[in-house]
């Protein structure tokens, strides 16, 4: 398998080296408001950037193969709400639980409540959060960004998936009606990146959630904390951040 992966990398590098790529950005760029189109033009003209992306694609494909060969975790169980155990305890009230425990637990169920109130969620929900964040990071590490977003939604944490999708570049595609355009991506990506850097820098956040956001917004220090397993993970983190 390792030899096969090496040959795949060599093939990708050789194919790019003999491909017909524009040498100048000015010769291919067209007037556009699409950030995605501008980035695509830039990739066509910059061989070093394409090399970095080829390495990232290879590392992600290798990780995806290894993950599929050793995957033992059960699929995420669909859930319409997040922190169900916390919600259940709040609905029951104080009668069956000691007051000290309830005083330490959040009184609102929104995602910002733990930080805003400086309180905790149910221990089972905390464990579920940790498992979800680790699996989301693994999805991004394997190049399965859409699957990572879907996992968040399936777990009842669509807000977390929305945070991830803020990474997408603004793009315009033809709409269903002739002459119309549909908007894709994030038109306020600069604002998202500023907020994402705050999440990645927050050491109280889950380590894998910080790493996922750090990879997407270009914050290396938070990314490498979850990439200590092997050299491929570390190289992937450095390359992804460099591209961003």
């Amino acid at each position: 398998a390792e030899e096969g992966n090496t040959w795949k990398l060599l093939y990708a590098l050789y194919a790019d080296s003999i491909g017909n790529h524009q040498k100048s950005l000015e010769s291919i760029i067209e007037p556009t408001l699409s950030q995605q189109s501008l980035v695509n033009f830039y990739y066509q003209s910059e061989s070093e950037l394409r090399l970095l992306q080829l390495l990232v694609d290879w590392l992600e494909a290798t990780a995806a193969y290894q993950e599929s060969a050793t995957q033992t975790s059960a699929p995420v169980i669909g859930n319409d709400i997040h922190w169900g155990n916390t919600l259940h305890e709040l609905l029951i009230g104080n009668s069956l639980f000691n007051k000290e425990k309830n005083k330490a637990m959040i009184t609102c169920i929104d995602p910002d409540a733990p930080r805003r109130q400086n309180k905790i969620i149910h221990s089972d929900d905390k464990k579920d959060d940790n498992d979800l964040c680790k699996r989301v990071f693994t999805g991004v590490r394997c190049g399965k960004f859409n699957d990572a977003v879907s996992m968040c939604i399936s777990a009842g944490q669509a807000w977390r998936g929305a945070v991830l999708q803020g990474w997408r570049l603004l793009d315009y595609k033809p709409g269903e009606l002739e002459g119309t355009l549909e908007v894709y991506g994030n038109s306020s990506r600069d604002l998202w990146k500023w907020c994402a850097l705050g999440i990645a820098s927050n050491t109280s956040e889950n380590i894998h959630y910080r790493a996922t956001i750090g990879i997407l917004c270009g914050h290396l220090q938070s990314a490498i904390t979850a990439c200590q397993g092997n050299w491929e993970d570390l190289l992937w983190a450095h390359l992804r951040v460099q591209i961003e």
Side-chain angles (χ1 to χ4, degrees), residues 86-127:
T86 302
L87 177 61
H88 176 72
E89 188 162 326
L90 291 176
L91 291 175
I92 290 178
N94 296 330
S95 58
L96 299 180
F97 300 92
N98 65 70
K99 294 183 178 180
E100 290 185 2
K101 185 175 182 181
N102 277 340
K103 287 181 179 179
M105 187 168 290
I106 59 174
T107 58
C108 299
I109 207 68
D110 62 277
D112 295 321
R115 184 180 298 108
R116 185 180 66 252
Q117 298 183 336
N118 195 25
K119 293 184 177 182
I120 63 173
I121 60 176
H122 194 283
S123 58
D124 289 342
D125 291 334
K126 183 69 173 178
K127 181 179 181 300

Side-chain angles (χ1 to χ4, degrees), residues 157-178:
Q157 298 194 17
W159 59 270
R160 203 184 292 274
V163 172
L164 300 183
Q165 293 200 83
W167 164 77
R168 295 185 186 277
L169 292 167
L170 177 65
D171 195 14
Y172 299 94
K173 297 181 180 179
E176 295 182 0
L177 299 177
E178 185 177 355

Side-chain angles (χ1 to χ4, degrees), residues 53-67 137-145 167 215-216 232-233 236-237 239-240 243:
Q53 189 61 55
L54 284 171
L55 291 172
V56 166
D57 292 342
W58 174 71
L59 288 167
E60 290 179 348
T62 301
Y65 173 80
Q66 294 173 347
E67 175 67 16
F137 174 78
T138 300
V140 174
R141 172 66 182 90
C142 294
K144 299 178 180 179
F145 180 82
W167 164 77
I215 284 292
L216 298 179
E232 289 103 329
D233 291 345
W236 171 78
L239 293 176
R240 280 291 303 252
I243 291 174

